[in-house]
Amino acid sequence: MAGITIRRFEEDDKETVKEIFTMGMSEHVPSSFMHLLKQPLTQMILMVTFCALLASSKSVLLPVVGVTLLLAGAKQLVGYLFNSYIDTSLRKDLDHIQETYLENKDSCFWVAESDGRVVGSVACLPAEREPGCMELKRLSVRRTHRRMGIAKALSRTVADFSRERGFPAVVLYTSVVQTDAQRLYENVGYTRVREFVIPEPIAKITNFTLIEYKLDLLQAGK
């Protein structure tokens, strides 16, 4: 991690932080599309559509075109859902980092800097779903600077901050398609607590789940 500095967020970092977050989330569109294709309901719809068009047209061309259009529509839907999540995240806190994270002693936002350039970020604040715990949020590293230990260092920064303020544990939530993130969290000591479906109807239909992880700071500190 030579040349990498982790420091407290400054207002001039905002646009770069938003860019890194947006690009990082957008990377998950292909894996989310593949997740959708693996679902039994999706496969059934594609098969029924293909068979129905084949039976009605007596031609292979029409069902192939029909299934192709369905796949294109599904990919557009996945992209739309991720863009909606990104827009919601920007409105909820990333457009207001100072107010959300830096005006309370039990919350903070950090950036990782390399040669004067912001290449990663992480934040934490008291968890709403798990009272008494800290929640790690907005961990993201620019693609060009991954596998350099930056994400681990940012995770440790949150753990140290939380321990200093007397929190017994840190929790976080990541999605079923973010497999690299899951490996990272498990490597730095987090344990998987549960997996649950997001309450939105489209998430239930596509079986899109979130995974809750927890880091026991009392145990980790021994």
Side-chain angles (χ1 to χ4, degrees), residues 148-167:
M148 298 170 59
I150 297 174
K152 288 184 178 180
L154 289 167
S155 300
R156 286 195 295 269
T157 298
V158 170
D160 292 343
F161 178 87
S162 303
R163 189 181 292 109
E164 289 168 2
R165 279 153 181 76
F167 285 84

Side-chain angles (χ1 to χ4, degrees), residues 9 11 16 34 40 45 53 65 97 112 121 124 131-132 135 150 153 177 187 191 211-212 214 219:
F9 169 88
E11 194 63 23
T16 304
M34 292 304 300
I45 291 172
L53 291 175
V65 171
I97 293 175
S121 68
C124 68
E135 180 176 352
I150 297 174
V177 301
N187 284 340
T191 56
I211 302 170
E212 178 182 343
K214 178 178 282 190
Q219 185 67 29

Side-chain angles (χ1 to χ4, degrees), residues 155-202:
S155 300
R156 286 195 295 269
T157 298
V158 170
D160 292 343
F161 178 87
S162 303
R163 189 181 292 109
E164 289 168 2
R165 279 153 181 76
F167 285 84
V170 181
V171 298
L172 61 86
Y173 302 89
T174 191
S175 73
V176 65
V177 301
Q178 292 174 270
T179 53
D180 286 345
Q182 293 168 33
R183 284 192 290 270
L184 165 70
Y185 298 134
E186 291 167 7
N187 284 340
V188 296
Y190 282 81
T191 56
R192 184 183 293 225
V193 176
R194 63 185 177 120
E195 185 172 353
F196 59 97
V197 178
I198 302 172
E200 282 77 5
I202 188 65

